[in-house]
Every structure is written in C-alpha cells, then in structure tokens.
Amino acid sequence: MTEAATPLTPTAIKLHRKSRLLEIAFSDDTRYLYPCEYLRVLAPATAGQGSHEPVHGKRMVVITHIEPQGTAALQLDFDDGFSCSYAWDHLHALGADYERNWTDYLQALQDHGLDRGAGDTDGKVRIKLLYFIQLAKLAGRDEEEVELPDTVTHVESLLTWLGSRKPGWQESFEPGKVQVTVNRHFAEPYTLVEDGDEVAIVPRSMQA
C-alpha cells in the first residue's frame, strides 16, 4: 500500500500591494509570484461568471484582503467586488503552470476579441531599456525601446525574457548578476514593469 502524498501547505504569504502581486512559498520549497490579474481571471471555475467568455478587463485589479480558510484554502478579496476561495493545491498548480496558463488566457482573449482593459490602447507595453558596461557591449547599444510580450509583468519576468532573446544572454541577465532600477528607483524581483517605464540594468560587478 502506497503512502498518501504529503499535503502542500504554505510556509509564507505576502501581498505586495503596490506591485499587485501575491507571493506564496510552499512546503515543497517552491515560491511563486502571482499577479493579481492572473489570480482574478483564472479563479476556480465554480466561482466564475457562468459565461463561455474569459474574464477580461482586469489589468489593474488588486487584492484587498487575504484570509486563510483553515489548512485547506486561501480566501482572496479583489477591489472589483469579487471574492473566491483558492485551495492550496490549486494555487500551487497556478504557480507551476503560470507561463502556459497565461499564454492560453491571452489566446482566449484574442479569440473572443477581448482585451485586458484598464487603459489599454493597442494592448502593448513599451519600455526604455538602459544597459551599462558589459551589458551595453553584449546588446551592442546603450539603450533601446522594446515592446514587451504579455508574459512580462515584473522585473523577474523581464530578466527572464531578456535572457532568452539571444543565445548566450541568459547568464548575463541572471537576477543575482544585475541590479535593476525602474524609473530611477531600485527595484525588487516583483516590481511591476509598465508602459512608459525606464528600466536600467547594471552589472553588479560595476558596483563598488
């Protein structure tokens, strides 16, 4: 007879209100950052709106309150009036499958002619990137303006995307090897990257 799997439980929960991200660490030593929009639009089906269309227009939604529901779930309240209970295993799966889920969601929006809302014009996010020292040599320029894919929402995902742009870039853009500022303020991995931002990336070896 096989032993039952050990239930996943959270070891740390932190809501980054300004960055609109929920951070959860789990008992299996994984840690995930969940954009509020992601949790809102991919709420459990039983809490959905009963429509075949994906939930949309939630780009700027924020979580206003979190409340553990015993040892099995987490209650999330959003500023648009929506509330839902998320089981821990469901939250873990949402974190592990973020890239695939988000890509599928964006495709569903496109298929239904919908957008993420809250000020969307053409639905694109464009930022100015500033590179320093080795990174400028690597990129072949000191600065550039780029259009971000929808999978990039914060500094951590920006560095991952930058590292994937060309062969050999991944190591240079690893979080531990660079310091990032957003609009001239030092940034954390969960700091949001939004349309019109100026993002500077400095190799840590340059710092005194």
Side-chain angles (χ1 to χ4, degrees):
M1 184 175 180
T2 58
E3 294 184 4
T6 303
L8 283 168
T9 56
T11 57
I13 306 171
K14 184 175 182 180
L15 178 60
H16 303 281
R17 295 181 185 276
K18 186 175 181 180
S19 298
R20 301 196 298 277
L21 291 166
L22 180 66
E23 180 179 5
I24 304 179
F26 288 92
S27 54
D28 63 349
D29 295 326
T30 55
R31 178 188 67 89
Y32 299 113
L33 288 167
Y34 305 84
C36 294
E37 178 189 9
Y38 176 65
L39 292 172
R40 174 65 180 88
V41 301
L42 291 182
T46 54
Q49 298 176 338
S51 171
H52 68 283
E53 291 186 348
V55 178
H56 60 285
K58 303 297 180 181
R59 180 192 285 273
M60 301 299 290
V61 74
V62 296
I63 295 171
T64 57
H65 182 70
I66 58 177
E67 184 71 33
Q69 302 292 297
T71 59
L74 184 69
Q75 177 79 23
L76 300 180
D77 299 334
F78 297 84
D79 67 346
D80 64 351
F82 179 80
S83 295
C84 183
S85 182
Y86 297 72
W88 293 121
D89 58 350
H90 179 68
L91 283 168
H92 188 277
L94 285 176
D97 297 331
Y98 170 78
E99 290 189 9
R100 177 176 60 83
N101 290 339
W102 189 242
T103 298
D104 289 347
Y105 171 71
L106 295 174
Q107 184 61 54
L109 288 183
Q110 182 176 328
D111 292 345
H112 287 85
L114 303 171
D115 60 48
R116 293 170 62 197
D120 265 359
T121 51
D122 60 0
K124 303 299 182 181
V125 174
R126 299 176 179 87
I127 66 170
K128 182 178 182 179
L129 287 170
L130 304 179
Y131 302 113
F132 291 84
I133 312 302
Q134 301 100 308
L135 295 180
K137 294 179 180 178
L138 182 69
R141 66 194 74 185
D142 294 328
E143 62 182 62
E144 65 174 324
E145 293 188 3
V146 298
E147 182 179 295
L148 300 179
D150 285 315
T151 52
V152 175
T153 56
H154 47 69
V155 167
E156 187 173 65
S157 54
L158 173 64
L159 292 177
T160 298
W161 175 70
L162 287 172
S164 70
R165 291 176 75 193
K166 293 183 180 179
W169 281 32
Q170 182 176 359
E171 183 177 357
S172 297
F173 286 98
E174 289 179 356
K177 294 187 176 181
V178 295
Q179 176 66 64
V180 179
T181 64
V182 177
N183 300 325
R184 302 187 181 183
H185 296 285
F186 285 111
E188 300 292 340
Y190 50 79
T191 299
L192 287 177
V193 178
E194 300 183 296
D195 189 49
D197 282 347
E198 179 183 88
V199 180
I201 307 176
V202 183
R204 288 190 181 275
S205 58
M206 172 183 170
Q207 299 171 1

